[in-house]
Amino acid sequence: MQKEIRKILVTSALPYANGPIHIGHLVEYIQTDIWVRFQKQRGHTCHYVCADDAHGTPIMLRAQQEGITPEQLIADTWTQHNADFSDFNIGFDNFYTTHSDETRHFAELIYNRLHAEKYIHSKVITQAYDPVKEMFLPDRFIKGECPKCGAKDQYGDNCEVCSATYSPNDLVNPFSVISGEKPIEKDSEHYFFKLAEFEAMLKEWTHSGHLQEQVANKLKEWFDVGLQDWDISRDTPYFGFEIPNAPGKFFYVWLDAPVGYMGSFKNLCDREGLDFDEYWGKDSSTELYHFIGKDIVYFHALFWPAMLTGAGFRTPTAIFSHGFLTVNGEKMSKSRGTFIKARTFLDHLNPEYLRYYFAAKLSNRVEDIDLNFEDFSQRVNTDLVNKVVNIASRCSGFIKKRFDGQLSANCSERALFQSFIDESENIATLYETREYGKAMRAISSLADKANQYIDDKQPWVIAKQPDSDEELHHICSLGINLFYVIAGYLKPVVPEMVSKAEAFLNTGELAWPDQFTPLTEHQINKFKPLMTRVDADKLAAVIDASKENLEKTAVKAQPSTATKQTEEIADTIEFDDFAKIDLRVALIEKAEHVEEADKLLRLTLSLGEETRQVLAGIKSAYAPEELEGRLTVMVANLKPRKMRFGTSEGMVLAAGPGGDELWILSPDSGAKPGMRIK
């Protein structure tokens, strides 16, 4: 039975053309790229488009500061962004710009259709105005003293000290960020989109499987307070597209930014002869997916489908939202400069390290993920180098030296090979549903099985025995075939490493492994290292190069079962008291929810020769599947404690202020379950 070929259009949110790409951005682009590569590997027709978001006041002002035109600024930024994405193996079919004829065409078309249907109206509003620069000021370009707590130098929409929200008019002693002058109030006519006209449509659409449940529930808050008209215009001077028949008025950047998806795809269509209407027409049967961050859900899940519906276009099949990235537990913030640039990472480390690490951490939930440098090194070194690459390395030498690089004529243990192929649908489902962390664990489990097979057969021993060539040939050939399947499963995540594996295996580009049959009487090439271990010095260089941008906040170690977070340092203790604490490395063999418990996870911990059950209060910070297979640190000689949900036979250690900002302590790679920490 022939598999149905899907037609899919995928987009990522548009990076703003006013600064560099940082590794927080890359969470989204790597997540999307993995999904697109998976679809293409499965044989589907999948197009992946994106563009720089090139309009708005910040771009206009930065260009003025640098003494260049906005067009030159966005062109230079596009070149930098494109290079960063390319070097991280983000495989856009088209990376474009919103400052294009195509995007202008569709922005004007959508506006004119909405206007003709009377979904657009105008009214006079009062805004803050800079009398020196002679321009209206966005909220973020006004600062002053917080009206609630008095903190100085706060933006015009919220206070970063007390978290209060307010309007710019509420600020005490306000001033323009651009000129330093006190803003005045000035009237201006603005154009508004009647979002409330689409309330019934949006209520149904947002709860019809197009969004994650968590996102759909969050949007209820907007419906509860009532949908408001959306201001879609900005006054001159402004860098963007002028509104038709409205001199001096420009489309607000958030109107033409999502339209940039259409503009980029139209550019691709014109270049490759694709049918634009097949993907964007009102009755389209193709699939359309947007990958976005959780901070821009409102624009994509309310304004965007309403605009599309009102203008006679199709709505997205689904919108996939993700959380933010933290680095060693600290939130990233462009305004504070707390980010690691993509180029800084590329200058020192293999980009596929980060691709794999993000994949190992990502799920289909709207959750923040943390880049912990120790965990990063351990996962890459253990999962990719020590497990996967090691399979090919252990077997290839014997094949090359003893059998002239040719695999055996038959698969000696077909059932084992088939068991790897049988994981195809499970792993495919995990990729399809964006459960990448689970997919990586499933693939890692196969690598464990392959290495265990080699360990059990001991080809290095057999090679020394007389008349052992046939057995040695079968063992090492099967090992290569198991590596072949694993490489196929990993291709969406680490395409460069797998490209090297394809050259070694002499197979050409690998399809999805459900199509694989064993490589028999097949010539392989000389094995070359596919990936090296994370170099600690190079990782340190990344950290050092970003040191001035990384906010460092000390956290105190605390037991994860604590119910109260303490801010004070505990009283000092004697060394003899501390020496009584038996800290051991433990392997988290199993993690599961505790029914009816709000904070607890039940952990099954291996200490090598014994297994313990620990009830840990880390449910707010970890999903069970994130923990299984990890090493942690536990207090092994703590008296068992009977709790409502069972007996806890120890305590795992974690650090952080609490809630979802809690991180279990993990030893460096090389530690073994049961080791005592000295």
Side-chain angles (χ1 to χ4, degrees):
M1 182 177 178
Q2 190 172 6
K3 183 170 63 176
E4 180 182 359
I5 304 299
R6 297 158 59 187
K7 290 189 175 182
I8 308 168
L9 174 59
V10 180
T11 75
S12 294
L14 312 185
Y16 199 46
N18 192 35
I21 300 300
H22 58 70
I23 60 174
H25 292 129
L26 289 168
V27 172
E28 179 171 310
Y29 301 104
I30 288 173
Q31 182 190 40
T32 316
D33 185 71
I34 290 171
W35 200 79
V36 169
R37 287 179 182 274
F38 162 72
Q39 301 296 349
K40 291 181 176 181
Q41 192 178 353
R42 295 273 279 179
H44 300 303
T45 300
C46 188
H47 308 287
Y48 180 19
V49 302
C50 193
D52 265 346
D53 183 1
H55 290 157
T57 301
I59 286 174
M60 177 186 72
L61 294 176
R62 184 182 166 195
Q64 290 175 3
Q65 291 171 355
E66 295 188 10
I68 58 177
T69 64
E71 288 83 0
Q72 184 62 53
L73 173 65
I74 62 176
D76 292 345
T77 303
W78 183 92
T79 299
Q80 296 166 11
H81 286 183
N82 190 53
D84 288 346
F85 287 135
S86 177
D87 288 347
F88 266 97
N89 296 320
I90 308 298
F92 295 124
D93 292 291
N94 197 44
F95 182 63
Y96 204 40
T97 174
T98 58
H99 192 63
S100 67
D101 291 340
E102 295 91 342
T103 302
R104 181 195 294 272
H105 166 77
F106 286 110
E108 292 180 351
L109 177 64
I110 289 173
Y111 171 82
N112 287 332
R113 288 181 178 180
L114 294 175
H115 192 277
E117 294 295 326
K118 303 190 185 306
Y119 293 129
I120 304 292
H121 74 98
S122 65
K123 66 178 180 180
V124 174
I125 64 172
T126 302
Q127 295 176 277
Y129 185 81
D130 187 324
V132 175
K133 295 294 289 186
E134 297 184 331
M135 62 179 290
F136 288 96
L137 294 170
D139 293 352
R140 298 293 282 182
F141 284 84
I142 306 170
K143 282 189 173 183
E145 298 170 17
C146 172
K148 302 294 173 66
C149 73
K152 298 181 182 299
D153 206 33
Q154 297 304 306
Y155 288 110
D157 51 2
N158 73 282
C159 176
E160 295 185 337
V161 176
C162 72
S163 300
T165 58
Y166 41 75
S167 72
N169 295 334
D170 297 327
L171 281 173
V172 179
N173 298 322
F175 62 91
S176 166
V177 172
I178 306 170
S179 69
E181 190 73 15
K182 180 179 179 179
I184 63 173
E185 292 186 351
K186 188 173 181 179
D187 291 343
S188 174
E189 183 181 27
H190 272 231
Y191 293 82
F192 291 81
F193 173 52
K194 297 179 181 178
L195 185 63
E197 296 281 335
F198 298 87
E199 181 171 350
M201 168 261 164
L202 288 171
K203 280 185 175 179
E204 179 181 357
W205 188 85
T206 56
H207 287 85
S208 300
H210 302 290
L211 307 172
Q212 293 127 302
E213 184 178 359
Q214 183 180 350
V215 173
N217 291 336
K218 182 68 176 176
L219 290 176
K220 287 181 181 178
E221 297 174 8
W222 278 51
F223 293 117
D224 290 342
V225 300
L227 299 181
Q228 305 298 312
D229 291 350
W230 180 36
D231 188 345
I232 61 168
S233 64
R234 293 296 184 267
D235 295 280
T236 190
Y238 190 83
F239 183 62
F241 295 141
E242 197 166 35
I243 297 176
N245 304 312
K249 305 293 180 181
F250 292 79
F251 287 127
Y252 174 41
V253 64
W254 263 111
L255 183 136
D256 62 50
V259 176
Y261 301 142
M262 305 173 85
S264 182
F265 185 62
K266 183 63 167 67
N267 182 258
L268 179 68
C269 289
D270 292 345
R271 193 170 70 242
E272 298 191 359
L274 302 173
D275 183 352
F276 179 88
D277 292 333
E278 182 181 12
Y279 287 84
W280 285 99
K282 186 176 182 179
D283 299 320
S284 172
S285 60
T286 61
E287 302 172 49
L288 170 62
Y289 300 98
H290 299 312
F291 284 74
I292 63 168
K294 63 182 180 182
D295 56 326
I296 54 175
V297 163
Y298 299 137
F299 294 106
H300 282 80
L302 292 178
F303 304 131
W304 180 230
M307 284 168 51
L308 289 170
T309 299
F313 290 101
R314 59 90 50 84
T315 54
T317 306
I319 297 172
F320 301 138
S321 304
H322 61 83
F324 299 142
L325 177 72
T326 59
V327 178
N328 285 343
E330 289 299 307
K331 291 183 178 179
M332 300 181 69
S333 168
K334 279 190 74 174
S335 64
R336 295 188 183 93
T338 56
F339 63 87
I340 299 172
K341 296 178 183 178
R343 185 52 53 182
T344 302
F345 190 98
L346 289 164
D347 285 342
H348 300 281
L349 293 170
N350 184 338
E352 299 215 318
Y353 293 162
L354 196 65
R355 289 181 64 99
Y356 180 80
Y357 187 73
F358 282 171
K361 303 277 279 188
L362 280 164
S363 70
N364 60 15
R365 296 178 296 280
V366 190
E367 296 176 343
D368 295 350
I369 65 173
D370 184 53
L371 170 56
N372 177 281
F373 290 127
E374 289 187 10
D375 183 46
F376 168 80
S377 296
Q378 181 175 330
R379 289 206 189 200
V380 172
N381 292 342
T382 300
D383 294 358
L384 288 183
V385 182
N386 295 354
K387 288 186 181 181
V388 176
V389 174
N390 195 41
I391 300 167
S393 176
R394 299 172 83 183
C395 298
S396 59
F398 292 115
I399 296 294
K400 197 68 181 174
K401 293 176 183 177
R402 299 281 284 268
F403 309 106
D404 296 324
Q406 182 158 307
L407 302 180
S408 61
N410 57 69
C411 183
S412 59
E413 297 195 38
R414 188 62 184 257
L416 179 58
F417 178 85
Q418 188 59 43
S419 71
F420 277 48
I421 301 298
D422 290 343
E423 283 296 307
S424 167
E425 286 310 307
N426 173 49
I427 294 173
T429 298
L430 294 175
Y431 272 123
E432 179 72 40
T433 57
R434 307 175 323 285
E435 288 284 8
Y436 299 161
K438 292 181 180 179
M440 295 308 100
R441 286 190 288 278
I443 296 168
S444 185
S445 178
L446 293 179
D448 285 336
K449 287 176 66 176
N451 278 299
Q452 188 61 55
Y453 167 79
I454 297 168
D455 288 342
D456 291 343
K457 295 296 185 180
Q458 296 183 308
W460 54 90
V461 174
I462 293 173
K464 298 176 183 178
Q465 298 173 355
D467 303 321
S468 62
D469 276 7
E470 183 177 0
E471 184 180 5
L472 180 66
H473 202 187
H474 286 317
I475 293 169
C476 293
S477 295
L478 181 58
I480 295 295
N481 270 287
L482 298 181
F483 169 78
Y484 166 52
V485 179
I486 292 169
Y489 288 139
L490 279 173
K491 186 173 181 177
V493 179
V494 282
E496 186 175 331
M497 187 188 93
V498 173
S499 178
K500 294 177 182 177
E502 290 166 343
F504 158 65
L505 293 168
N506 193 27
T507 56
E509 289 198 16
L510 298 181
W512 189 249
D514 63 351
Q515 303 178 37
F516 287 7
T517 56
L519 301 173
T520 55
E521 293 187 299
H522 177 83
Q523 192 76 27
I524 63 172
N525 293 315
K526 182 180 179 180
F527 178 80
K528 298 178 182 178
L530 305 178
M531 179 174 284
T532 58
R533 293 169 60 85
V534 177
D535 186 319
D537 290 340
K538 292 182 178 179
L539 179 56
V542 171
I543 299 170
D544 187 60
S546 306
K547 189 176 296 182
E548 62 183 11
N549 294 328
L550 283 173
E551 293 183 351
K552 294 181 174 61
T553 301
V555 293
K556 298 185 286 290
Q558 60 186 356
S560 62
T561 50
T563 58
K564 180 180 180 182
Q565 304 300 326
T566 58
E567 295 299 328
E568 67 277 3
I569 300 296
D571 293 336
T572 59
I573 63 173
E574 296 294 335
F575 180 81
D576 289 344
D577 294 324
F578 175 74
K580 295 176 183 178
I581 303 173
D582 185 5
L583 297 177
R584 298 289 182 105
V585 176
L587 172 66
I588 305 175
E589 291 187 337
K590 187 176 182 181
E592 55 191 331
H593 293 291
V594 178
E595 191 173 350
E596 298 183 9
D598 295 332
K599 300 179 180 180
L600 297 179
L601 292 179
R602 179 178 285 107
L603 306 180
T604 302
L605 303 178
S606 171
L607 292 173
E609 296 181 355
E610 63 173 308
T611 300
R612 301 275 190 91
Q613 173 184 274
V614 170
L615 298 174
I618 55 176
K619 185 174 182 177
S620 61
Y622 290 97
E625 56 269 20
E626 292 181 88
L627 296 170
E628 292 180 356
R630 291 183 59 176
L631 294 176
T632 188
V633 177
M634 73 171 294
V635 181
N637 62 339
L638 189 68
K639 183 178 179 180
R641 180 186 176 194
K642 289 187 177 181
M643 304 173 67
R644 175 187 170 192
F645 303 103
T647 300
S648 186
E649 302 172 313
M651 179 181 288
V652 297
L653 299 185
D660 60 356
E661 296 187 6
L662 198 62
W663 296 271
I664 63 169
L665 303 189
S666 300
D668 288 340
S669 59
K672 302 293 184 184
M675 281 185 175
R676 185 169 185 177
I677 297 175
K678 300 178 180 180

